[in-house]
Amino acid sequence: MFAKQILALSTIVAMVSAQSSSLPASSGTPTSSGVLAQTSPAWLSTVTPMAGNVLAVPSAGAAVPSGALAAVTLSATDYPTPWEVPPTNSTGVQAAIAAIDWTKVPAAPVRTANANGDLTFTGYDANADPYCWWSDSNCVKPKVDYLPSDIYNCPNPGDWGLSYDDGPLNPDTPGKADQWAEPQLYDFLAAHNQKATLFYIGSNLLTFPAAGQRALADGLTICVHTWSHPPMTTQTNDQAVAQFYWTLRVIKEVTGVTPKCWRPPYGDVDDRIRSIAWQMGLRTIIWDEDTNDWNMPGTGGGNLSPNTVDGYFQGWIDARKNGTDNVSGHVVLEHELNNATVSMAEKWLPTLQTTFNVVPVHECQNISQPYWETGFTYPTENAANATTTTSMSLAPSAAPTSASVDVASASAASAGADSSAAASGTANSAAGKLAVGAFTVAAVIAGAMFNL
Ligand SMILES: *[C@@H]1O[C@H](CO)[C@@H](O)[C@H](O)[C@H]1NC(C)=O
Ligand SMILES: *[C@@H]1O[C@H](CO)[C@@H](O)[C@H](O)[C@H]1NC(C)=O
Ligand SMILES: *[C@@H]1O[C@H](CO)[C@@H](O)[C@H](O)[C@H]1NC(C)=O
Ligand SMILES: *[C@@H]1O[C@H](CO)[C@@H](O)[C@H](O)[C@H]1NC(C)=O
Ligand SMILES: *[C@@H]1O[C@H](CO)[C@@H](O)[C@H](O)[C@H]1NC(C)=O
Ligand SMILES: CC(=O)N[C@H]1CO[C@H](CO)[C@@H](O)[C@@H]1O
Ligand SMILES: [Zn+2]
């Protein structure tokens, strides 16, 4: 259903963009396809990755690590406060800002949210949707011709692009064992020989670096999900750069890789944010099927009945089995968020594997290199599965320097992420233009947390 609506929308969007005249013209250094060329993030060149990481993707079928995580510490002093909108005045963020061609960033207004934390759509021309604002219209095809379409599904019917947002899931109490925190889900995936795409919150990786190193060693793909999880259209240009910069930086320092992929929290992206992301090396990945698992009861969750979420999974399975789900494969939104989402993910994966070809998003999109580091080549559907030799070094990372702090204690500040209530509301979905149904934008203002 949803996929078809998005496809239909793409057609509408193509017609509308032909009429746009007020948008910046394409110039600069386009690739042969007309898409603005990207370069690897030079402003991260001074970041020294921690030791102990794998240097390539594990071979197909090879055993991957599981069980207890190594004790890994990272100096938090070099990073902004977890779960706060990061400052923009550091040398690194300023360098990233300076590297962007701002003539290629559409002047979409910075959006606001109301007292409930819901995005406000006041003043936005919902019908023309001039900035391809997903929250308004589920638009996935930018109005400017120098940005690529978002990735939002798997092209081949029967493919299930598996993705989990908001990780790595930290223990409820920093440093204390927690059944549902990582490596719980990663171990489960390993036991079921399943790879997936993970969209990491920078703040969560800062406070739990060992989980990120495990994910990479397990052959999971790591992408960016911002530093403090705001609706990105509410961020100024400089704040958006800072959200990407700090997340990319902590991922590179912890794991050694620099992702070329990101997913906007709540799907909240427009061409202004897409252009900033793209120029920082990041392709936007949305989804076409949403489990709404984040809204089940659990830490940071809501009150959606797990039975309802079960019903979504069963419906997708039924539709595939009865032949009606035959137009495309899907990218499905799930979360590492809490006990409820992880347990739901584990409950359904074995059944999904018997019905769908369950793969990471890049695999179904035939994108073999999701990072700027070319040593990592993942399997795709049009290439022999990579069998690069890996170093599979599982040694604990280099000993912390004297400047390092124990992240377990440093992460106390992030507890707000798990304790704040999520306000929720229904976003205005361009009434009359596109029947996408009501969808919920859980919002947080002033420290409250969004959960999508
Ligand atoms: C950035 O601004 C904050 C105040 O907003 C200030 O405390 C800090 O020292 C500044 N940092 C740099 C590197 O200028
Ligand atoms: C998750 O924890 C909440 C309490 O925070 C509890 O109500 C819920 O039943 C738990 N769900 C699962 C699947 O363990
Ligand atoms: C196929 O399954 C879907 C999901 O349960 C259902 O909505 C649809 O009516 C079914 N179609 C047929 C032809 O059985
Ligand atoms: C795809 O499913 C539709 C029903 O939803 C059916 O009419 C059509 O024949 C199917 N196409 C194929 C190729 O199976
Ligand atoms: C990936 O390659 C396979 C096999 O060649 C093909 O069927 C599929 O359409 C390709 N997908 C994309 C997104 O190019
Ligand atoms: C060419 C090839 O063998 N491709 C396979 C790679 O692995 C995936 C599963 O992860 C298979 O679906 C592909 O057929
Ligand atoms: Zn999220």
Side-chain angles (χ1 to χ4, degrees):
M1 269 304 212
F2 196 59
K4 288 177 196 165
Q5 286 157 346
I6 285 186
L7 289 173
L9 177 65
S10 303
T11 312
I12 295 166
V13 163
M15 296 187 303
V16 171
S17 50
Q19 301 162 359
S20 316
S21 56
S22 60
L23 299 170
S26 177
S27 59
T29 338
T31 63
S32 55
S33 67
V35 168
L36 199 58
Q38 287 179 306
T39 52
S40 65
W43 25 266
L44 286 181
S45 59
T46 57
V47 175
T48 306
M50 298 170 82
N53 280 299
V54 295
L55 301 174
V57 181
S59 305
V64 295
S66 62
L69 296 172
V72 176
T73 56
L74 171 65
S75 171
T77 55
D78 294 338
Y79 286 90
T81 307
W83 290 98
E84 288 183 8
V85 171
T88 61
N89 59 353
S90 69
T91 308
V93 174
Q94 288 297 315
I97 290 170
I100 289 175
D101 177 354
W102 291 99
T103 71
K104 290 291 182 300
V105 178
V110 176
R111 304 305 313 183
T112 55
N114 67 19
N116 291 329
D118 304 325
L119 284 164
T120 55
F121 293 82
T122 316
Y124 191 70
D125 184 342
N127 289 312
D129 191 18
Y131 299 111
C132 186
W133 186 15
W134 191 93
S135 303
D136 172 69
S137 63
N138 288 8
C139 179
V140 292
K141 192 170 185 299
K143 299 299 176 75
V144 291
D145 59 8
Y146 51 80
L147 296 176
S149 168
D150 300 343
I151 290 170
Y152 59 90
N153 71 8
C154 288
N156 288 342
D159 280 354
W160 177 287
L162 186 66
S163 67
Y164 300 103
D165 287 16
D166 295 359
L169 179 53
N170 284 228
D172 263 345
T173 306
K176 197 168 162 223
D178 178 335
Q179 181 195 348
W180 296 106
E182 297 307 345
Q184 167 66 35
L185 179 61
Y186 304 162
D187 281 357
F188 185 88
L189 293 172
H192 290 78
N193 194 26
Q194 181 64 58
K195 310 302 184 194
T197 310
L198 308 176
F199 293 90
Y200 272 179
I201 295 173
S203 295
N204 279 349
L205 184 59
L206 176 71
T207 53
F208 201 17
Q213 297 190 324
R214 168 61 60 81
L216 191 74
D218 278 357
L220 309 177
T221 304
I222 297 171
C223 299
V224 165
H225 196 47
T226 78
W227 179 259
S228 64
H229 209 269
M232 286 295 281
T233 65
T234 67
Q235 303 289 284
T236 66
N237 288 346
D238 287 4
Q239 285 172 334
V241 172
Q243 291 280 352
F244 292 127
Y245 173 85
W246 289 111
T247 310
L248 283 163
R249 177 168 162 166
V250 72
I251 291 173
K252 180 173 179 186
E253 181 168 0
V254 169
T255 67
V257 299
T258 312
K260 301 167 85 168
C261 43
W262 84 292
R263 174 174 282 166
Y266 325 104
D268 184 45
V269 65
D270 63 9
D271 283 350
R272 178 176 68 92
I273 299 299
R274 281 188 188 90
S275 182
I276 292 169
W278 180 254
Q279 293 195 54
M280 293 180 74
L282 299 167
R283 175 95 180 261
T284 303
I285 301 181
I286 305 279
W287 58 84
D288 72 340
E289 282 180 345
D290 186 352
T291 63
N292 275 303
D293 60 346
W294 65 270
N295 200 15
M296 296 186 293
T299 308
N303 52 21
L304 181 68
S305 163
N307 290 339
T308 303
V309 178
D310 286 335
Y312 297 147
F313 279 104
Q314 192 62 58
W316 294 324
I317 288 168
D318 290 347
R320 180 65 194 155
K321 282 185 166 168
N322 73 17
T324 53
D325 174 19
N326 61 13
V327 174
S328 73
H330 305 287
V331 168
V332 186
L333 178 60
E334 296 179 68
H335 289 82
E336 277 187 51
L337 184 65
N338 59 32
N339 67 330
T341 62
V342 172
S343 109
M344 185 62 77
E346 295 185 358
K347 176 180 178 179
W348 282 100
L349 182 64
T351 313
L352 293 171
Q353 287 177 321
T354 66
T355 309
F356 292 93
N357 176 39
V358 185
V359 293
V361 177
H362 292 87
E363 182 162 332
C364 78
Q365 288 280 344
N366 297 338
I367 299 170
S368 61
Q369 297 194 324
Y371 314 130
W372 286 99
E373 290 74 16
T374 52
F376 288 79
T377 303
Y378 287 81
T380 63
E381 292 186 355
N382 68 351
N385 286 321
T387 51
T388 41
T389 7
T390 75
S391 61
M392 287 305 287
S393 163
L394 303 179
S397 296
T401 66
S402 54
S404 298
V405 297
D406 179 349
V407 289
S409 52
S411 68
S414 73
D418 290 341
S419 60
S420 51
S424 66
T426 302
N428 167 13
S429 62
K433 179 172 67 169
L434 182 71
V436 295
F439 57 96
T440 306
V441 176
V444 191
I445 291 203
M449 174 192 181
F450 287 77
N451 288 301
L452 196 72

